[in-house]
Each structure stands twice: as C-alpha cells, then as structure tokens.
Amino acid sequence: MTSAIDQPTVQLPSEVRMPMLGFGTWQLSGRRAYEAVREALDVGYRHLDTATMYGNEDEVGRAIRDSGLSRQDVFVTTKLPPERAGRERETIAASLAALGTDYVDLWLIHWPPGRDRASIASWRELLAVRDEGLARAVGVSNYDTGQLDMLVEATEEAPAVNQIRWGPALHDPRRLDEHRERGVVLEGYSPLKTTDLHDPVLAEIARDHGVSTGQVVLRWHIEHGVVVIPKSGTPSRIRENFDVFGFSLSEGELRQLDAMGR
C-alpha cells in the first residue's frame, strides 16, 4: 500500500500541490459520509472532494479533525452551486464554517450558472476569494473549452482545474490537449460509473496485472495525468480504489483503453 507521502501530485498555481487520487463524497451523507471519509484518511487518501450541494461538508470536516491529521496535510475541495451565483461570499463562509477550517485548497464553480455574464461575475468573485486567502486555488466544473476561454478572456486568468465526467469510454485526446494548452488541470469524476467494468479488454488487462478492472481505470487516469476522484461508502472498495500505485500500464494497454472512447 502506498503511503500518503508517496502519492503523485499535480501543481496548481502558486505552488499548490494537488494529489492525483482523491476521495469523492457525492451521495454520501450523515454517519455514512463521516465513516467513509475516516476510512479514506486512514487508508492514505489526502485529497477529499465535497460540495455545498452534497450536504456533507460538516461530516467531512469532522472526519478530518477526528483523524488526527494536520489540516495542511489534507487537500480539500468544495464547490459553489450555480444557483448561488451572486451569493459567493455567503456560500464560501458557510462552507468554511461547516468544514471547520479557515480555507479550502480548491473552490470550484460546480456548473456554469447559465448566463455568460453570471459565470464571469462568479469567476471574478472566486478569484477575489482566492486572493484573500480563503481558497488556495480556484477552478470550475462541467465547463467546456469555449466556456473556459470566455473566463480567460474576461479576466486573463484560467481556472486551475476543470472537473468533468471522465473515463476510458469518454476519452477525448483533443479535449485533454485543450486543457493542457490552457494550463488547466483536468480532473475526472464518476470514473467507474462511466466505464463498463466488464469490458473484455479491460478485464484482460486487469487479469494480467492481478488487479480489479476498477483499479485499472483509476490507474489509466493517473497515467494520463488526469486527477481522479472515485467514490465509495464500502470500506473494502475504499481500500481497493486507493491501491493503484503498485503497477503501471504499458503504452499498448493505454492505447487499448483509449480506444474504448471511439
């Protein structure tokens, strides 16, 4: 099992390091959310992904405190709901209070607010919140390339991260290149839900490495430099999803998995 300090990271602006493997908390709530996050931290995850609309920031924050880990050792992401456009300061204040922290490591606009002007206005507020130290880095989620460019043109600052649905079946090398050209880190969510884990090619690669098909999918993200945030409330699956650093995929295997998106 890889230790927390051995995990690969990507660099965001201002020397912020983001672990490439994170723990997603969507659809986890109450005691189940708390226990899942505690298990994830015990296993070695040091990157947690939550959001205002998940309704579990309190449980995530309590799990971090009860883990005994230093706050600076855990990378925390939360997100601004699109319907909160225009209420950014109120929202980040509520998130920080629920998480029990003075700052988050990454704050994202969860979805484009709808109108371009609202999206740009929210982006300006996120940049101001970052400059005030309430968020170490800021970004977006579910934005297409044109929407990323709109923000850059309006503010001359690109989002540090764009979190989107991603997996072998959704692989789009052109879109990945567009992110890299703009200096935007691509972060993939729902990596296992978007993948046919019974695909015969995927199953054969998993057998060759003595791992599960889910582990292959997560490793595929990391090999491509894509941050990935699997979610599970099952302790055995939480541990399995973290155990992806003891093998690597060959160029041929990567090409086979890339082809699932065609």
Side-chain angles (χ1 to χ4, degrees), residues 157-229:
E157 287 210 52
V161 172
N162 186 21
Q163 186 185 107
I164 60 177
R165 284 167 60 91
W166 199 256
L170 300 176
H171 182 59
D172 182 346
R174 179 177 178 181
R175 191 173 189 190
L176 183 56
D177 286 343
E178 288 171 346
H179 280 72
R180 288 174 174 158
E181 290 165 1
R182 290 157 177 79
V184 178
V185 170
L186 193 153
E187 180 178 14
Y189 70 82
S190 296
L192 305 180
K193 185 172 286 190
T194 59
T195 303
D196 177 6
L197 297 178
H198 300 288
D199 181 277
V201 171
L202 181 58
E204 181 179 358
I205 293 172
R207 282 194 300 270
D208 289 345
H209 289 279
V211 298
S212 71
T213 53
Q215 286 171 303
V216 170
V217 170
L218 300 179
R219 184 70 206 185
W220 172 85
H221 283 74
I222 292 168
E223 300 263 2
H224 274 301
V226 174
V227 177
V228 62
I229 48 170

Side-chain angles (χ1 to χ4, degrees), residues 57-240:
E57 291 172 315
D58 181 79
E59 289 79 8
V60 171
R62 186 158 53 87
I64 295 171
R65 293 191 297 277
D66 291 353
S67 73
L69 294 168
S70 299
R71 170 64 187 88
Q72 59 265 30
D73 291 335
V74 183
F75 188 102
V76 179
T77 299
T78 193
K79 309 179 193 77
L80 170 80
E83 66 271 17
R84 295 285 186 98
R87 300 165 61 193
E88 292 82 7
R89 299 307 179 106
E90 174 188 338
T91 304
I92 189 61
S95 288
L96 295 178
L99 288 163
T101 183
D102 295 330
Y103 68 94
V104 291
D105 298 279
L106 180 64
W107 195 31
L108 307 177
I109 301 175
H110 207 151
W111 292 86
R115 293 177 292 107
D116 290 352
R117 290 175 63 184
S119 189
I120 292 169
S122 284
W123 180 235
R124 291 188 190 279
E125 285 298 312
L126 261 70
L127 292 173
V129 163
R130 179 205 60 191
D131 292 345
E132 292 170 21
L134 301 179
R136 298 176 67 217
V138 291
V140 296
S141 182
N142 300 299
Y143 275 58
D144 61 31
T145 302
Q147 291 167 323
L148 294 175
D149 287 342
M150 175 186 67
L151 300 184
V152 175
E153 290 168 8
T155 65
E156 298 185 347
E157 287 210 52
V161 172
N162 186 21
Q163 186 185 107
I164 60 177
R165 284 167 60 91
W166 199 256
L170 300 176
H171 182 59
D172 182 346
R174 179 177 178 181
R175 191 173 189 190
L176 183 56
D177 286 343
E178 288 171 346
H179 280 72
R180 288 174 174 158
E181 290 165 1
R182 290 157 177 79
V184 178
V185 170
L186 193 153
E187 180 178 14
Y189 70 82
S190 296
L192 305 180
K193 185 172 286 190
T194 59
T195 303
D196 177 6
L197 297 178
H198 300 288
D199 181 277
V201 171
L202 181 58
E204 181 179 358
I205 293 172
R207 282 194 300 270
D208 289 345
H209 289 279
V211 298
S212 71
T213 53
Q215 286 171 303
V216 170
V217 170
L218 300 179
R219 184 70 206 185
W220 172 85
H221 283 74
I222 292 168
E223 300 263 2
H224 274 301
V226 174
V227 177
V228 62
I229 48 170
K231 181 270 296 184
S232 178
T234 304
S236 61
R237 184 61 57 82
I238 292 170
R239 293 191 293 271
E240 177 183 295

